[in-house]
Amino acid sequence: MHEGAAEARFPHRHLLGIEGLSPDDINQFLDLADGYVELNRQAEKKRSLLRGRTIINCFFESSTRTRTSFELAGKRLGGDVINMSVPASSMVKGETLIDTAMTLNAMHPDVLVVRHPESGAVHLLSEKVDCAVVNAGDGSHEHPTQALLDALTIRRRKGRLGGLTVAICGDILHSRVARSNIALLNTMGARVRVVAPRTLLPAEIERLGVEVFHDMARGLADVDIVMMLRLQSERMYGSFVPSTREYFHFFGLDYDKLRAAKPDALIMHPGPMNRGVEIGSEIADDIDRSLIRSQVEMGVAVRMACLEILTRDLGNGTPLP
Amino acid sequence: MNRLLIRGARLLDPASGLDTTGDLLVEGERIAAVGGDLSVAARDAEAVMADGLCLAPGLVDMRVQLREPGAEHLESIESGGRAAAAGGVTTMVALPNTDPPVDDVSVVEFLARRAREARLAKVHTYAAATKGLKGHELTEMGLLAANGALGFTDGVKAVADALVMRRVLAYARSFDLLVLQHPEEPSLARAGEVNEGEIATRLGLAGITPMAELIMVERDLRLVEITSARYHAAHLSTAAAIAAIRQAKAQGLPVTCDTAPPYFVLNQTAIGDYRTFAKLSPPLRSEWDRRAVIEGLRDGTIDAIASDHAPWDQDSKRLPFSSAAYGIVGLETLLALSLELFHNRHLGLLDVVRLMTVNPARILRLPVGRLAVGAPADLVLFDPDFSWQICPDAFLSKSKNAPFDDRPVRGRVQLTIVDGRTIFGHPG
């Protein structure tokens, strides 16, 4: 265990979302993860903190990077990690979601990491199991570890979160990353803007504590951080934007639009990127401005912190109901 | 002939404005005398002492789903009939979205036979406005009506195509038939599951704009203007649509509408953390809309309260929110939830009863819903002040899907009588 984190207590059994977490809760994750970043850069990365613990990655929606990140996090802490892919198409009805939860529960996992295409599904599953549950993304609702890794990335580069201005740009409507980031950044005292065409903004988004812009030049004016979102074409019901060409013209990030931001503004993207749709290739690969690779690195550290915090208070056995 | 004397009741008859203490005599299937002291005239009759409890016409619930034929594991004519009896409902009208749907005379006859066999609440049915509820071709509306269908609707779906709806209305007008609409523009609603706004945005659920209701109501009102058909908008949930109906009535159009208890006792916050038991179609709306529904009930814009009884098993509800079924059961809570309007001083007792008796009976042109000599002896005796807590597990309905667990309510049914026969008596 890391020094300094020992006395802090995380007052929740699960990590289902950022909404409801306090600044102290969030700092606990970030402080602990900071130490894991250094560990992960060493040749000997293995710890035995989770020895004997079982972590099941249960993904009802395809994912490579998040699942790999959680898998590495669990293994580096010495836990046994099992990956389960349940393609949504084979789940005719979510009825099997509760069945799956019950089945997994009977195997005594210590942590379930769950991704599901429907908002609220992870919340529902968490009510049926005895172990800790981590939401690895549910529908358009939340993706808390993404927001935590984004926060860690920003904090390490800028030294703080409070007082920064962050613009989140693109498909806010379908984005769980946006919702988690809005909640986290507001909690930590940053100013949040969203920039998108009106078809990609959910109703009353301003009630979540953001300033709304429909124009990149104005939305990016004097911001410290530009967070681009993936244009989630696979989630779209109908046509939300006329073409990727028009979308890039008005809302894609290039150096021209970035000029409005502060000279030291940094670029982020949760990945996977659609180059030439929401972000220009050169800017994505610009090592001075782009934090995109750093985000991936922070992801593993944040998920290690998350697994540690959620297993800290688990007893030595969880009884079957 | 069976004679039943109900003594010392508070007689409530909204049709005549009667609200007085007295006796009521039932002879056979009909009401033989109303009011005053009938103990001498009917001394040989079986007597029930009402002790000042309210005696009203049995409730007329103009919108229920009974799931028979096709999904009898969720509800049947018989289980629905028992639930109705426990709720004081003596007449109910089923939607045609069964399997097979009620789009053929044989299904109307089947339902009538099943209801006769069950001998519980009276069951009528609407028939589909379009064949297979598909929204394209008209059903045999004339024949269906001649065999007992009380009105025409595609059930829980709107007739989306404006030209088809125009023809439904125009054809219905030829036979002076009632057309009922689920007023929601489907293209605006199809991707959504909750009311559009902050809550939907926070939960990451796709929203349905309240305008989806107004747009369909407005479109239909213009079609009513050119067809003069009798039109009824079901379960209104938004201030804007209620205002549109108010204006149409002032204009003299032959339109009526109803709402259901969830829309005046709950608002969108009831979905909380993805509470699928509060997932309804139309969705629960804002507090402002809820108050507008109450205002619509107060000023007479909304003609009736229906339960919108929609039985679903737990497996259909214990799902991620967007996969869960829409709707709640309502037959057994219709009276108690509606009486909140009285206890909260929004409406008088007689007015609340009116919305569930004579008003829907008039819309449906049924000879029920009144305490009049010669009228069918369909009665409910209830204690308007009795306090209890709703417990869905105790429902007689086969399905228990309701978001009202442990809600404290006032008003309990003591006795339900259909055609002079007691079909429910509270055990207590």
Side-chain angles (χ1 to χ4, degrees):
Chain A
M1 243 193 226
H2 291 269
E3 298 79 2
E7 66 272 37
R9 278 284 171 266
F10 184 66
H12 306 278
R13 196 172 126 212
H14 309 299
L15 179 64
L16 299 179
I18 298 294
E19 198 163 280
L21 297 190
S22 69
D24 281 350
D25 297 339
I26 291 165
N27 277 326
Q28 251 191 82
F29 285 103
L30 301 185
D31 294 345
L32 193 53
D34 244 337
Y36 282 127
V37 175
E38 306 315 320
L39 174 71
N40 286 336
R41 288 175 180 173
Q42 294 167 22
E44 172 53 51
K45 305 175 179 67
K46 192 91 169 176
R47 286 290 178 272
S48 58
L49 195 66
L50 296 187
R51 198 171 65 190
R53 299 287 190 197
T54 305
I55 299 144
I56 304 184
N57 286 334
C58 192
F59 278 62
F60 296 91
E61 187 182 79
S62 64
S63 154
T64 308
R65 56 179 65 210
T66 304
R67 205 201 62 216
T68 309
S69 183
F70 269 108
E71 186 176 353
L72 268 179
K75 286 183 168 162
R76 283 188 183 162
L77 290 176
D80 296 317
V81 184
I82 295 179
N83 288 319
M84 255 190 65
S85 283
V86 192
S89 55
S90 74
M91 305 251 317
V92 178
K93 283 280 172 197
E95 173 190 14
T96 44
L97 177 66
I98 289 181
D99 291 344
T100 307
M102 302 296 225
T103 306
L104 293 175
N105 193 46
M107 298 177 191
H108 298 283
D110 297 286
V111 183
L112 274 178
V113 177
V114 186
R115 168 169 288 190
H116 197 282
E118 290 180 85
S119 300
V122 181
H123 182 274
L124 176 66
L125 187 142
S126 75
E127 292 173 343
K128 309 291 170 191
V129 296
D130 301 308
C131 61
V133 174
V134 180
N135 181 359
D138 65 323
S140 308
H141 179 224
E142 283 236 34
H143 190 357
T145 57
Q146 178 72 43
L148 288 167
L149 75 87
D150 287 342
L152 183 62
T153 309
I154 297 171
R155 200 177 79 167
R156 285 174 68 96
R157 272 299 276 269
K158 295 284 185 187
R160 65 199 164 104
L161 292 165
L164 297 178
T165 303
V166 180
I168 305 176
C169 311
D171 185 2
I172 312 285
L173 180 66
H174 299 98
S175 177
R176 52 198 175 211
V177 175
R179 282 170 182 76
S180 288
N181 264 311
I182 290 168
L184 187 146
L185 292 165
N186 273 323
T187 303
M188 301 309 283
R191 293 178 49 189
V192 187
R193 300 175 177 182
V194 294
V195 190
R198 286 174 191 272
T199 48
L200 291 177
L201 286 170
E204 298 184 10
I205 182 75
E206 69 284 354
R207 300 286 292 262
L208 273 55
V210 297
E211 269 188 281
V212 180
F213 294 86
H214 310 293
D215 176 296
M216 287 289 269
R218 291 164 65 184
L220 296 194
D222 297 319
V223 301
D224 298 286
I225 303 287
V226 182
M227 263 186 201
M228 301 307 297
L229 297 174
R230 176 181 168 78
L231 186 64
Q232 306 205 15
S233 51
E234 77 275 14
R235 277 166 191 271
M236 301 231 169
Y237 187 81
S239 169
F240 290 81
V241 291
S243 70
T244 52
R245 184 175 85 131
E246 172 150 332
Y247 185 75
F248 186 77
H249 182 81
F250 290 102
F251 296 98
L253 187 66
D254 54 22
Y255 283 108
D256 189 38
K257 296 191 189 87
L258 187 61
R259 212 171 292 134
K262 281 189 183 156
D264 61 347
L266 298 168
I267 318 302
M268 302 176 78
H269 191 298
M273 287 181 281
N274 296 309
R275 290 168 185 265
V277 178
E278 70 263 355
I279 191 163
S281 248
E282 290 161 50
I283 217 166
D285 298 330
D286 183 337
I287 51 166
D288 296 325
R289 309 298 295 271
S290 167
L291 296 175
I292 296 168
R293 282 182 207 156
S294 172
Q295 286 173 275
V296 179
E297 183 189 2
M298 296 306 124
V300 180
V302 154
R303 285 160 185 139
M304 288 167 83
C306 169
L307 292 174
E308 178 182 336
I309 285 170
L310 291 179
T311 51
R312 217 180 250 164
D313 291 336
L314 286 181
N316 283 322
T318 46
L320 277 174
Chain B
M1 191 190 297
N2 118 65
R3 298 178 90 205
L4 178 68
L5 180 66
I6 299 165
R7 296 216 56 201
R10 179 175 172 188
L11 302 169
L12 295 171
D13 181 38
S16 63
L18 179 76
D19 179 358
T20 184
T21 302
D23 300 349
L24 182 139
L25 178 66
V26 174
E27 281 184 358
E29 298 187 347
R30 300 200 170 261
I31 296 171
V34 181
D37 182 348
L38 302 172
S39 59
V40 177
R43 60 180 165 273
D44 56 333
E46 180 194 344
V48 173
M49 306 308 286
D51 294 325
L53 297 186
C54 293
L55 184 65
L59 306 184
V60 178
D61 187 346
M62 65 183 299
R63 189 176 177 88
V64 300
Q65 296 177 68
L66 295 177
R67 305 276 185 246
E68 182 173 353
E72 291 84 350
H73 64 292
L74 300 175
E75 196 76 289
S76 64
I77 300 285
E78 182 162 353
S79 66
R82 274 197 298 274
V89 173
T90 53
T91 295
M92 54 184 167
V93 193
L95 292 182
N97 56 320
T98 48
D99 183 18
V102 188
D103 63 354
D104 187 273
V105 168
S106 61
V107 187
V108 177
E109 287 173 345
F110 167 80
L111 289 170
R113 177 170 65 76
R114 295 285 293 133
R116 270 198 311 277
E117 288 165 0
R119 284 171 59 82
L120 293 159
K122 294 173 179 171
V123 180
H124 296 273
T125 188
Y126 300 119
T130 66
K131 283 180 189 156
L133 306 166
K134 291 199 169 84
H136 305 305
E137 300 166 61
L138 307 194
T139 52
E140 295 169 333
M141 295 168 70
L143 289 172
L144 286 158
N147 282 276
L150 286 188
F152 295 84
T153 175
D154 277 356
V156 297
K157 290 197 307 191
V159 176
D161 188 295
L163 178 61
V164 173
M165 187 60 174
R166 180 186 179 171
R167 288 183 180 146
V168 166
L169 288 164
Y171 194 75
R173 178 71 185 100
S174 330
F175 297 90
D176 195 20
L177 306 174
L178 178 67
V179 176
L180 303 96
Q181 176 75 300
H182 174 95
E184 186 175 60
E185 168 52 46
S187 62
L188 282 171
R190 71 183 157 195
E193 46 228 353
V194 294
N195 193 38
E196 185 173 282
E198 180 185 349
I199 290 175
T201 294
R202 280 187 189 279
L203 294 175
L205 295 173
I208 302 174
T209 169
M211 289 301 126
E213 181 168 284
L214 176 65
I215 287 169
M216 186 54 81
V217 166
E218 285 280 16
R219 182 204 78 174
D220 286 349
L221 291 174
R222 302 288 79 81
L223 295 175
V224 169
E225 219 171 82
I226 54 176
T227 57
S228 303
R230 286 198 291 135
Y231 171 82
H232 180 90
H235 48 53
L236 288 188
S237 65
T238 63
I242 292 164
I245 295 284
R246 187 176 289 125
Q247 199 187 357
K249 286 185 166 186
Q251 195 188 333
L253 294 180
V255 300
T256 52
C257 64
D258 70 70
T259 192
Y263 302 110
F264 57 80
V265 304
L266 298 177
N267 65 27
Q268 57 189 351
T269 60
I271 60 173
D273 276 336
Y274 303 101
R275 206 160 163 230
T276 55
F277 285 79
K279 182 180 178 184
L280 295 172
S281 174
L284 292 169
R285 305 288 188 182
S286 69
E287 176 61 12
W288 193 66
D289 288 308
R290 187 186 75 88
R291 290 177 191 211
V293 169
I294 293 173
E295 190 48 41
L297 290 163
R298 278 167 59 92
D299 74 5
T301 302
I302 301 176
D303 301 273
I305 300 172
S307 71
D308 206 21
H309 186 75
W312 289 109
D313 55 13
Q314 304 292 302
D315 288 348
S316 308
K317 281 289 193 181
R318 296 203 186 281
L319 293 173
F321 201 90
S322 55
S323 300
Y326 292 96
I328 69 175
V329 287
L331 276 166
E332 290 166 78
T333 50
L334 173 64
L335 181 65
L337 291 172
S338 298
L339 282 172
E340 289 190 14
L341 296 165
F342 164 65
H343 292 300
N344 294 335
R345 298 172 198 278
H346 295 304
L347 272 82
L349 190 52
L350 210 53
D351 298 320
V352 175
V353 172
R354 185 192 321 274
L355 290 158
M356 293 178 284
T357 54
V358 66
N359 277 10
R362 277 186 184 138
I363 294 167
L364 300 165
R365 298 189 173 167
L366 289 172
V368 297
R370 56 193 68 200
L371 299 185
V373 174
D378 295 353
L379 305 164
V380 59
L381 184 70
F382 65 95
D383 179 346
D385 294 314
F386 186 92
S387 297
W388 57 292
Q389 279 179 295
I390 296 175
C391 172
D393 286 341
F395 286 163
L396 299 182
S397 170
K398 279 188 189 175
S399 295
K400 322 289 181 194
N401 54 306
F404 296 114
D405 312 51
D406 301 329
R407 185 186 181 92
V409 287
R410 287 164 75 188
R412 188 176 72 170
V413 173
Q414 293 295 121
L415 193 65
T416 308
I417 294 171
V418 169
D419 286 339
R421 275 180 300 117
T422 298
I423 59 167
F424 176 82
H426 200 278

